[in-house]
């Protein structure tokens, strides 16, 4: 690998790449500076005017569930340096970074991980053929001929490949289809959450960044949705640079690559990954530098906005009226002829899978609570309630139980419309709807928890408790139906705007865009940081189509399509004091139904709870599986190319295994707890750096946080822990720079 990089990425070419990257970053960051003032003004105006969303009926967690392991188990990873498959102990912490250890013993002894992978921007592939097709398309002229050896050979029929258009690829395989399905669901959850990397709580930096991305791409005549708008700001900015840098680099270096087609493919993947890392580091440094400058200037900008808010609003309204008079006739004709006829069909295509997914969320919530109620009646009684509720509280973050909800979005197609409106992919809409599903599930669970906790204060008998659970379930379902309708309608409106506005802007650009500079003189110089002609123009275009979009969604609600409620619908028998309950301290279900310290089982139960954060938060299902852990790495054999060889490796692992106190199975239940344990709330307070511990010390720490670097892998050194990027998380539980 070193020879390839030193040959094709010498100092002169690296300097050239750095200069090209700096040019792109400088151009983009000017857009970001311009948009920052506009976003700050919009945020402060929103706070003053108080316009917002309707009051939700369900509560939401203000203190997140964290420090839990979402999934852990073993899988085989292909090592590119020695071309061998190695068994790795793998886990996914609550912030959705995939962490790979040498084996389970290495994890228990707090040894450094082999790799920490941030999955933003990756695709999960389940067949080698899919992968070979993407690799072949990435470098024209390198498609393998029939009968030639492919770039990758998988020893089983159940691979999972993480593919990225710019960064390095990761290759895994499993022994059975069931294991493959489980890991696919888990990794897809990682991709979904890491893609959603810009904090929604950021009311200034986030909108400023996304608007700057859109304006920059429109400058390059790229108006449609962008599939690589995923990850945190630095990852997105790196993707933006690679989108421009990649084709030229490919045209320059592609003909110089030597060897067979598969070898040239392998060389290009290494080169692309190396360039991506260089771009990432440069983008990170420049973005943080500019962001620091803007934050320092923010107090002065806020002072101007507070003082002159009314004048700024008046000036902007005057500018909007002039632009509206100029473009309205053209825009209305364009909407009437090219957009309006297609809105109902786009809306229907969105409504069907989305509503099916939200219905599945409702059904799963109903089933889980009903099963818990039956367990209270028939088995554990009130003493077991805390254990049941601890598991229910994590339902929204259980990748396997939520998978059936997420799968409902997969059939989403915009047949015939996708090309017309330049929608490169529907994945952005699928993932957004899936995140809404997870949020609504957690809101329903938390509301149920809060109401049940209040009921327990009355000291009910087992029979009274079961009746209360049923009554609370019915109340929460009514609230869920109302909030689900509101969330879906908002999602439909946003999706329709995302699809139609870029199309309208592209249609109007030839006749309107060249005339926009003459409106600049209408903006006072003192307000030029808070009012931009381009943004005001886009707002006017949005208003021309917004009426038709609102009307289409309203008609769907009036007709009660897919259980949508009318905007005028008011939920009767709502709980006026419910939101006051949500302000209380977080509920610790571990304290409910526990034996007193004098009982003989108290110490055992305390030990179980101590291990809960460490081990028992492994996602489990009802099927037992073989453990893949090994206490030591076997001697390096030839790369196994068959299931038989892999099975022989597994047999060696099993013989070498040192039995742990609480074994982690490959997706199978932990022996001491037959009930499935769900995952925690993904959001968390800022994560602390990895703690330094000597081997053998008690393992009761949070798992390491994934690196922000999208390319991800960090190989450990013999001398101790390598430097690992620590992360902090936003309100949606996605890691961002720390």
């Amino acid at each position: 690998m070193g020879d390839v990089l030193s040959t094709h990425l010498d100092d002169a070419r690296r300097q050239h790449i750095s200069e090209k990257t700096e040019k792109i970053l400088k151009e983009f960051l000017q857009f970001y500076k311009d948009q920052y003032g506009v976003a700050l003004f919009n945020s402060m105006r929103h706070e003053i005017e108080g316009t917002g969303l309707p009051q939700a009926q369900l509560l939401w967690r203000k203190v997140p569930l964290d420090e839990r392991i979402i999934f852990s188990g073993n899988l085989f990873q292909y090592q590119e340096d020695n071309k061998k498959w190695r068994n790795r102990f793998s886990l996914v912490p609550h912030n959705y970074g995939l962490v790979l250890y040498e084996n389970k013993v290495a994890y228990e002894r707090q040894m450094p991980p082999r790799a920490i992978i941030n999955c933003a921007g990756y695709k999960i592939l389940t067949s080698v053929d899919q992968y070979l097709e993407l690799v072949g398309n990435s470098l024209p002229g390198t498609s393998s001929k029939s009968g030639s050896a492919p770039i990758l050979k998988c020893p089983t029929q159940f691979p999972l490949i993480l593919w990225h258009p710019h960064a390095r690829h990761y290759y895994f395989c499993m022994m059975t289809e069931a294991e493959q399905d489980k890991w696919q669901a888990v990794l897809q959850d990682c991709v979904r959450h890491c893609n959603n990397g810009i904090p929604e709580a950021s009311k200034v930096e986030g909108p400023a960044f996304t608007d700057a991305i859109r304006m920059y791409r429109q400058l390059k005549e790229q108006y449609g949705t962008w599939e690589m708008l995923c990850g945190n700001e630095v990852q997105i900015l790196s993707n933006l640079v690679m989108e421009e840098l990649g084709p030229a680099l490919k045209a320059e270096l592609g003909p110089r690559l030597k060897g067979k087609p598969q070898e040239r493919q392998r060389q290009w993947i290494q080169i692309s990954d190396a360039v991506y890392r260089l771009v990432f580091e440069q983008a990170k440094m420049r973005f943080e530098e500019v962001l620091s400058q803007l934050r320092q200037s923010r107090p002065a900008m806020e002072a101007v906005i507070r003082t002159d808010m009314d004048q700024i609003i008046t000036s902007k309204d005057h500018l909007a009226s002039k632009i509206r008079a100029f473009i309205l006739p053209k825009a209305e004709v364009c909407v009437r002829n090219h957009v309006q006829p297609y809105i109902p069909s786009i809306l229907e295509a969105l409504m069907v899978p989305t509503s099916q997914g939200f219905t599945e969320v409702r059904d799963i919530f109903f089933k889980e609570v009903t099963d818990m109620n039956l367990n209270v009646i028939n088995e554990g009684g009130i003493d077991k309630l805390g254990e049941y509720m601890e598991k229910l509280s994590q339902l929204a973050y259980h990748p396997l139980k939520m998978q059936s909800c997420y799968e409902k979005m997969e059939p989403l197609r915009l047949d015939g419309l996708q090309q017309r409106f330049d929608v490169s992919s529907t994945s952005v809409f699928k993932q957004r709807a899936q995140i809404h599903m997870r949020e609504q599930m957690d809101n329903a669970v938390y509301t149920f928890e809060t109401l049940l906790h209040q009921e327990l204060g009355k000291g009910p008998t087992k029979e009274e408790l079961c009746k209360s659970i049923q009554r609370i379930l019915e109340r929460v379902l009514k609230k869920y139906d109302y909030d689900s309708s509101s969330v879906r309608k908002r999602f439909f409106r946003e999706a329709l705007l995302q699809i139609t506005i870029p199309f309208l802007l592209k249609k109007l650009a030839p006749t309107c865009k060249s005339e926009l500079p003459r409106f600049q003189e209408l903006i006072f110089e003192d307000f030029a940081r808070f009012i931009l002609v381009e943004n005001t123009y886009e707002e006017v275009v949005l208003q021309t189509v917004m009426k038709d979009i609102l009307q289409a969604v309203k008609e769907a609600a009036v007709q009660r399509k897919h259980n949508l409620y009318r905007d005028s619908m008011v939920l009767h028998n709502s709980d006026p004091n419910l939101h006051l309950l949500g302000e209380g301290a977080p509920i610790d279900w571990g304290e409910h139904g526990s034996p007193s310290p004098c009982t003989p089982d108290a110490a055992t139960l305390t030990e179980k709870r101590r291990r809960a954060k460490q081990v028992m938060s492994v996602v489990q299902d009802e099927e037992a599986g073989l453990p893949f852990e090994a206490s030591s790495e076997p001697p390096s054999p030839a790369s196994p190319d068959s299931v038989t060889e892999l099975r022989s490796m597994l047999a060696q692992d099993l013989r070498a295994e040192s039995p742990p106190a609480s074994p982690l199975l490959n997706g199978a239940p932990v022996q001491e707890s037959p009930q499935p344990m769900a995952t925690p709330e993904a959001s968390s307070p800022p994560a602390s750096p990895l703690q330094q511990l000597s081997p053998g010390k008690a393992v009761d720490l949070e798992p390491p946080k994934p690196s922000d670097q999208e390319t991800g892998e960090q190989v450990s050194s013999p001398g101790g822990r390598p430097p690992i990027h620590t992360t902090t998380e936003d309100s949606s539980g996605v890691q961002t720079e720390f």
Side-chain angles (χ1 to χ4, degrees):
M1 178 176 174
D3 292 340
V4 172
L5 298 184
S6 60
T7 301
H8 298 288
L9 290 179
D10 54 20
D11 291 342
R13 184 161 284 112
R14 286 173 184 262
Q15 180 64 28
H16 176 69
I17 291 171
S18 178
E19 291 172 357
K20 292 275 289 183
T21 301
E22 180 60 31
K23 181 181 178 182
I24 296 170
L25 292 175
K26 184 178 180 180
E27 191 174 7
F28 167 80
L29 290 171
Q30 185 57 52
F31 278 97
Y32 183 59
K33 293 175 184 177
D34 294 341
Q35 293 300 323
Y36 192 90
V38 176
L40 181 60
F41 166 73
N42 290 338
S43 174
M44 295 180 66
R45 181 179 182 181
H46 176 79
E47 289 179 8
I48 292 172
E49 295 180 349
T51 55
L53 302 173
Q55 176 69 52
Q57 294 294 316
L58 295 171
L59 301 176
W60 54 276
R61 290 184 203 277
K62 296 178 177 60
V63 178
L65 299 171
D66 57 7
E67 298 184 5
R68 302 296 179 93
I69 298 172
I70 291 170
F71 191 88
S72 67
N74 284 69
L75 73 173
F76 285 92
Q77 182 191 16
Y78 181 69
Q79 303 295 300
E80 297 176 77
D81 52 354
N82 59 16
K83 296 181 173 57
K84 298 181 186 299
W85 290 88
R86 290 291 185 228
N87 185 18
R88 299 291 179 225
F89 176 73
S90 314
L91 60 86
V92 178
H94 65 276
N95 52 8
Y96 292 93
L98 178 62
V99 186
L100 304 177
Y101 287 90
E102 193 77 21
N103 47 46
K104 187 188 161 198
V105 173
Y107 165 70
E108 290 179 332
R109 292 180 178 175
Q110 292 295 302
M111 295 174 67
R114 294 278 302 183
I116 304 175
I117 304 173
N118 185 308
C119 295
Y122 278 87
K123 287 185 178 179
I124 312 296
L125 307 178
T126 56
S127 80
V128 175
D129 289 341
Q130 287 177 295
Y131 176 70
L132 295 179
E133 182 180 356
L134 286 172
V135 170
N137 293 337
S138 67
L139 191 63
T142 60
S143 297
S144 300
K145 298 179 181 179
S146 177
S148 62
I151 187 175
L152 175 71
K153 291 174 64 177
C154 184
T156 76
Q157 299 177 357
F158 311 107
L160 274 182
I161 301 172
L162 290 176
W163 177 89
H164 192 284
H166 312 304
R168 68 163 296 179
H169 307 158
Y170 296 91
Y171 314 99
F172 306 103
C173 74
M174 294 80 200
M175 293 297 295
T176 67
E177 186 176 4
E179 290 173 16
Q180 184 191 45
D181 291 342
K182 278 183 279 190
W183 275 106
Q184 183 184 7
V186 172
L187 293 180
Q188 198 61 60
D189 229 16
C190 294
V191 171
R192 185 181 302 113
H193 286 78
C194 291
N195 279 353
N196 191 38
I198 299 179
E200 292 186 13
S202 171
K203 304 300 182 185
V204 178
E205 285 88 352
F209 184 84
T210 53
D211 287 348
I213 288 285
R214 189 182 69 254
M215 293 294 185
Y216 179 85
R217 297 189 80 245
Q218 288 176 8
L219 182 68
K220 309 295 182 182
E221 302 295 327
Q222 297 169 324
Y223 286 86
T225 58
W226 187 35
E227 198 171 2
M228 293 307 293
L229 187 69
C230 47
N232 59 38
E233 290 90 342
V234 178
Q235 290 170 317
I236 295 171
L237 192 48
S238 302
N239 295 336
L240 186 73
V241 173
M242 290 297 294
E243 187 179 47
E244 292 191 40
L245 204 60
L249 196 65
K250 190 183 300 183
E252 181 183 359
L253 296 182
R256 302 183 184 183
L257 300 179
K258 306 299 181 182
K260 297 179 180 180
Q262 62 269 25
E263 184 58 31
R264 289 158 58 199
Q265 291 171 348
R266 189 176 290 108
Q267 292 174 14
W268 173 248
I269 293 171
Q270 294 171 358
I271 292 170
S272 178
D273 175 57
V275 173
Y276 185 84
R277 289 171 182 267
L278 293 173
V279 168
F280 182 93
E281 293 301 329
Q282 190 172 347
K284 181 180 180 181
M285 181 186 68
R286 292 286 288 118
F287 178 75
E288 290 177 349
E289 177 186 317
V290 170
L291 184 58
S292 176
Q293 295 171 0
L294 290 171
R295 285 175 173 169
Q296 289 176 7
S297 64
R298 178 169 174 167
M301 296 168 65
E302 289 178 342
V304 173
I305 293 172
R306 288 193 185 95
T307 304
D308 300 326
M309 174 69 78
D310 291 341
Q311 292 174 279
I312 297 173
I313 292 174
T314 301
S315 179
K316 182 178 179 180
D317 290 346
H318 178 65
L319 173 65
S321 66
K322 294 296 184 181
I323 294 177
R324 187 179 297 108
F326 167 64
I327 72 160
L328 194 58
K330 303 173 185 177
E332 286 183 336
V333 170
C334 191
V335 169
R336 186 167 58 248
N337 294 338
H338 301 289
V339 175
Q340 198 178 59
Y342 301 98
I343 288 177
S345 54
I346 298 174
L347 179 58
E348 186 65 23
L350 290 167
M351 282 198 301
V352 173
T354 305
S355 298
Q356 288 176 349
F358 276 84
T359 299
E360 184 73 8
V361 169
R362 188 187 197 277
D363 292 343
I364 289 176
F365 173 68
F366 175 83
K367 178 182 181 300
E368 291 292 325
V369 174
T370 302
D371 289 348
M372 183 194 73
N373 204 3
L374 291 174
N375 288 337
V376 171
I377 295 173
N378 300 325
E379 297 178 12
I382 297 180
D383 291 342
K384 284 280 191 177
L385 183 63
E387 180 183 333
Y388 297 150
M389 287 303 301
E390 182 77 11
K391 295 168 184 176
L392 182 67
S393 68
Q394 302 172 77
L395 175 61
Y397 301 94
H398 195 301
L400 305 182
K401 290 186 177 180
M402 291 296 294
Q403 182 65 10
S404 61
C405 308
Y406 300 148
E407 286 176 346
K408 299 295 183 183
M409 287 302 299
E410 293 307 317
L412 175 61
R413 299 287 184 274
L414 298 175
D415 295 330
L417 302 171
Q418 202 160 323
Q419 187 174 0
R420 165 179 284 276
F421 290 99
D422 194 18
V423 179
S424 60
S425 171
T426 58
S427 61
V428 61
F429 306 114
K430 293 177 183 179
Q431 291 187 9
R432 191 66 202 151
Q434 289 164 345
I435 289 171
H436 283 315
M437 291 174 196
R438 188 263 298 166
E439 290 171 347
Q440 288 302 297
M441 173 67 90
D442 194 51
N443 291 349
V445 168
Y446 181 60
T447 305
F448 179 85
E449 286 185 71
T450 304
L451 291 172
L452 180 60
H453 189 259
Q454 181 190 39
E455 192 70 21
L456 289 174
K458 302 175 183 178
T461 64
K462 184 168 77 171
E463 291 72 18
E464 291 171 340
L465 177 62
C466 292
K467 292 179 181 178
S468 296
I469 290 175
Q470 185 61 33
R471 185 175 67 253
I472 293 171
L473 173 60
E474 293 172 359
R475 290 169 63 188
V476 172
L477 287 176
K478 289 180 181 178
K479 297 175 185 299
Y480 172 84
D481 290 340
Y482 183 87
D483 281 7
S484 164
S485 173
S486 300
V487 168
R488 281 180 290 145
K489 286 190 295 183
R490 185 170 72 250
F491 167 71
F492 297 149
R493 290 192 290 263
E494 292 172 353
L496 284 167
L497 286 173
Q498 274 188 280
I499 292 169
T500 58
I501 292 299
F503 173 80
L504 283 173
L505 292 174
K506 187 175 182 178
K507 279 281 186 183
L508 294 171
T511 56
C512 297
K513 203 157 187 179
S514 60
E515 299 294 324
L516 293 182
R518 66 184 177 90
F519 293 99
Q520 186 65 39
E521 63 186 24
L522 299 176
I523 303 175
F524 291 116
E525 185 177 352
D526 293 344
F527 304 153
R529 294 201 67 177
F530 315 118
I531 305 173
L532 296 179
V533 173
E534 280 282 351
N535 290 65
T536 309
Y537 163 69
E538 288 195 1
E539 289 177 14
V540 172
V541 173
L542 182 148
Q543 291 164 6
T544 61
V545 73
M546 192 63 179
K547 181 178 67 174
D548 294 306
I549 289 175
L550 291 175
Q551 184 62 30
V553 176
K554 180 180 178 180
E555 288 177 359
V558 168
Q559 297 171 20
R560 294 299 303 272
K561 283 187 176 181
H562 307 290
N563 202 30
L564 291 177
Y565 291 167
R566 299 189 305 275
D567 290 336
S568 58
M569 173 77 174
V570 177
L571 188 64
H572 297 290
N573 300 321
S574 61
D575 302 292
N577 297 322
L578 178 60
H579 288 270
L580 296 178
L581 293 176
E583 301 296 331
I587 302 169
D588 183 2
W589 289 108
E591 298 300 321
H592 288 268
S594 59
S596 63
C598 61
T599 60
D601 292 336
T604 303
L605 189 59
T606 301
E607 176 64 16
K608 287 183 179 180
R609 284 176 183 161
R610 188 194 69 78
R611 290 200 300 262
K613 290 186 179 182
Q614 174 193 343
V615 172
M616 291 184 62
S617 51
V618 176
V619 171
Q620 309 149 22
D621 70 2
E622 290 71 21
E623 297 179 6
L626 290 174
F628 281 175
E629 302 93 285
S631 59
S632 62
E633 185 85 355
S636 299
S639 177
D641 290 330
S642 68
V643 175
T644 304
E645 292 179 72
L646 277 181
R647 292 191 187 281
S648 66
M649 288 178 62
L650 294 181
Q652 296 174 28
D653 289 346
L654 286 171
R655 287 193 296 271
E657 181 180 350
S658 55
S662 181
L664 283 177
L665 304 184
N666 192 23
V670 176
Q671 295 301 315
E672 65 187 22
S673 174
Q675 294 294 329
M677 175 64 74
T679 66
E681 167 76 50
S683 60
S684 76
S688 60
L690 290 177
Q691 302 183 41
Q692 305 285 340
L693 282 186
S694 58
K697 194 167 183 177
V699 182
D700 199 14
L701 295 176
E702 60 181 351
K705 307 298 186 291
S707 165
D708 268 326
Q709 184 154 342
E710 184 174 352
T711 51
E713 182 149 357
Q714 301 176 15
V715 180
S716 59
S717 57
R721 293 183 181 273
I724 296 179
H725 295 279
T726 57
T727 60
T728 183
E729 296 177 75
D730 58 36
S731 61
S732 299
V734 182
Q735 64 257 21
T736 53
E737 295 285 312
F738 179 67

